[in-house]
Amino acid sequence: MKATTLAKIDGEFRDSITRYAPPNFTVKMYSSGRKYFLSQLKKDIPSEIVVPPDDLTRTLWGITFRSPIMNAAGMFKEGDCYEMMSKQGAGAYLGGTGTWNARQGNVKNGIHLPFVPYPKSGSSSNFMGLPNKGDEVNSRKILRIERISGTPIGWSVMASPDLEGEAQYEGIVRGIVCYENAGVDFIEWNISCPNVSHGKCESLEDQMSYVERNYLKKRRSNIPIIIKISNDKTVEELPYLLDLMFSKGFHGINIGNTSIQYQLIRDKIHPDERKLFDYFTRTFNGGISGRPLKEKSLELAARAVEYIKAGGPSQEFHVIRTGGIENWNDIMDSERAGISLNQWFTGYFEGFSKYGHEVYKKLYDSRNHVK
């Protein structure tokens, strides 16, 4: 069955399923269903090609992005769906998150890659744990991708939780070099996944210093390296984090990853979905994405822009916003705050369930109705 058909069927019934079905059944169904849906999605290439309006083009770090919106990491672990995303009209494509070691991802209570949506809340939970085939395999797959003009490729990387200490960061550098050699346009270093143990590691400053010494000062290309942090960071933490990134030679910050602030977010979950929310967060923990992160992601990203404008680094440096992006109003909020790019995950799949491959077209067309 086509991914577009699966998404429409799910869109019709998931409100009832998430409200009335037993939570353990719902998690099992959506965890296995999501894997099947993604396996079908990569086969479902749109026949029509959407070209974003010319005025949406952004040039950052010498890279041309067709629009300021693209997918977030975690959607396409192994380089799948690049052609599909380009034809849909995405501003760029982001693969991963990859780790140096191959990982099967999390299994708990007999469920592989636990996931569940909260459709009325515009949210979801996942406890996936970085499933991927490893950076060497991932990067070889990139080499086989037929590049499409105007659609840059980025890749998300993270220290492997299977390694400890300096070995983790040696893996990060080796992974980055693999993707650099494969010809990606930018790298996003994820330092904030809530779904894995991070092992024994040094301080954040030591981590960044290792990458600075062993990659940034030795690299052969000028691809930008962006640091992805959590939406659970505070405004007070931003100056330290940004100064550290400036001084070590990084090129941007993405705010940010899924949240584990369950009690704060629970109030933003629709009452019909709180039983399911409570079951998932107590049983699996995991990260929460989507609409409940909207205000926090905007606040943190906007504050980061303000700090950069007050006295930024010598290198070109940009802010990316991830968390709660659903519509053009959200992108306009980012634009007004000076945020350069946006990534969506939950909002994309919600839009896909309604519009199929026209998800980006509908987003761009909606600009005419935004005040």
Side-chain angles (χ1 to χ4, degrees):
M1 187 180 293
K2 281 191 171 185
T4 47
T5 305
L6 288 168
K8 286 180 180 178
I9 293 172
D10 175 56
E12 292 178 7
F13 293 101
R14 61 183 171 175
D15 282 0
S16 297
I17 293 170
T18 53
R19 180 177 183 180
Y20 296 113
N24 61 335
F25 168 82
T26 304
V27 174
K28 287 179 181 178
M29 184 187 74
Y30 272 103
S31 300
S32 61
R34 183 179 185 276
K35 287 186 285 184
Y36 177 69
F37 168 75
L38 290 174
S39 72
Q40 298 306 108
L41 184 62
K42 64 184 179 182
K43 305 174 187 176
D44 197 350
I45 307 298
S47 56
E48 302 283 332
I49 297 175
V50 174
V51 179
D54 289 341
D55 64 308
L56 295 182
T57 299
R58 305 286 186 272
T59 300
L60 312 171
W61 308 292
I63 304 167
T64 300
F65 294 82
R66 300 191 300 171
S67 82
I69 175 75
M70 61 184 177
N71 68 284
M75 283 170 62
F76 309 117
K77 297 289 188 179
E78 296 161 4
D80 297 321
C81 299
Y82 170 76
E83 181 184 2
M84 183 199 75
M85 296 299 287
S86 181
K87 287 186 174 181
Q88 284 182 356
Y93 171 91
L94 182 63
T97 297
T99 55
W100 182 248
N101 291 356
R103 291 178 53 82
Q104 71 162 352
N106 291 332
V107 179
K108 191 169 184 179
N109 289 7
I111 299 174
H112 183 219
L113 310 183
F115 167 85
V116 74
Y118 312 115
K120 291 183 179 178
S121 309
S123 183
S124 63
S125 283
N126 83 81
F127 183 58
M128 294 180 193
L130 305 174
N132 75 103
K133 294 182 178 178
D135 293 326
E136 289 183 300
V137 174
N138 294 339
S139 59
R140 286 198 295 270
K141 190 166 184 178
I142 296 170
L143 288 169
R144 298 194 296 270
I145 292 176
E146 186 174 345
R147 299 290 294 266
I148 297 172
S149 177
T151 309
I153 293 180
W155 205 272
S156 172
V157 300
M158 188 167 182
S160 176
D162 308 299
L163 303 173
E164 293 187 348
E166 189 168 293
Q168 281 191 332
Y169 303 107
E170 181 182 356
I172 279 286
V173 170
R174 293 167 73 183
I176 290 173
V177 170
C178 283
Y179 297 117
E180 176 188 46
N181 291 339
V184 302
D185 298 291
F186 61 97
I187 294 285
E188 184 177 280
W189 179 14
N190 183 350
I191 63 170
S192 60
C193 178
N195 295 331
V196 296
S197 168
H198 290 258
K200 295 179 181 179
C201 58
E202 306 299 325
S203 69
L204 182 58
E205 183 171 0
D206 288 339
Q207 297 171 35
M208 291 190 184
S209 294
Y210 185 94
V211 175
E212 177 193 25
R213 289 193 309 273
N214 294 281
Y215 176 73
L216 290 171
K217 290 187 175 180
K218 298 179 179 181
R219 62 186 182 154
R220 300 185 301 275
S221 70
N222 292 316
I223 61 172
I225 311 294
I226 300 141
I227 304 291
K228 183 175 184 179
I229 69 169
S230 172
N231 270 304
D232 291 341
K233 294 295 184 183
T234 65
V235 168
E236 290 73 24
E237 292 175 282
L238 282 177
Y240 166 74
L241 291 169
L242 288 166
D243 286 342
L244 194 56
M245 294 174 201
F246 298 165
S247 66
K248 301 302 179 186
F250 293 96
H251 307 92
I253 184 171
N254 182 354
I255 305 171
N257 217 325
T258 54
S259 175
I260 56 173
Q261 294 183 333
Y262 305 137
Q263 290 305 310
L264 290 175
I265 287 177
R266 190 177 188 275
D267 290 339
K268 299 179 181 180
I269 299 298
H270 192 282
D272 290 347
E273 297 168 338
R274 286 181 186 163
K275 181 179 178 181
L276 179 60
F277 176 87
D278 290 342
Y279 172 79
F280 194 100
T281 53
R282 290 170 183 168
T283 305
F284 303 98
N285 298 317
I288 303 159
S289 62
R291 192 181 303 151
L293 280 60
K294 188 190 300 281
E295 293 177 1
K296 186 68 177 293
S297 71
L298 178 60
E299 178 189 21
L300 287 172
R303 291 295 189 92
V305 171
E306 290 175 3
Y307 191 77
I308 293 165
K309 287 181 176 179
S314 57
Q315 70 270 28
E316 185 177 352
F317 195 97
H318 293 283
V319 177
I320 301 173
R321 177 187 174 201
T322 305
I325 304 296
E326 299 179 279
N327 52 53
W328 201 258
N329 283 311
D330 298 322
I331 295 172
M332 287 303 300
D333 286 341
S334 295
E335 294 277 306
R336 284 188 283 266
I339 297 161
S340 300
L341 294 172
N342 303 268
Q343 296 177 3
W344 61 348
F345 188 111
T346 303
Y348 169 85
F349 285 117
E350 177 64 25
F352 188 85
S353 71
K354 295 176 181 176
Y355 308 120
H357 291 304
E358 291 192 334
V359 57
Y360 277 95
K361 181 179 185 302
K362 293 293 185 181
L363 181 69
Y364 299 145
D365 288 348
S366 70
R367 294 190 306 155
N368 300 324
H369 308 291
V370 173
K371 295 181 180 180

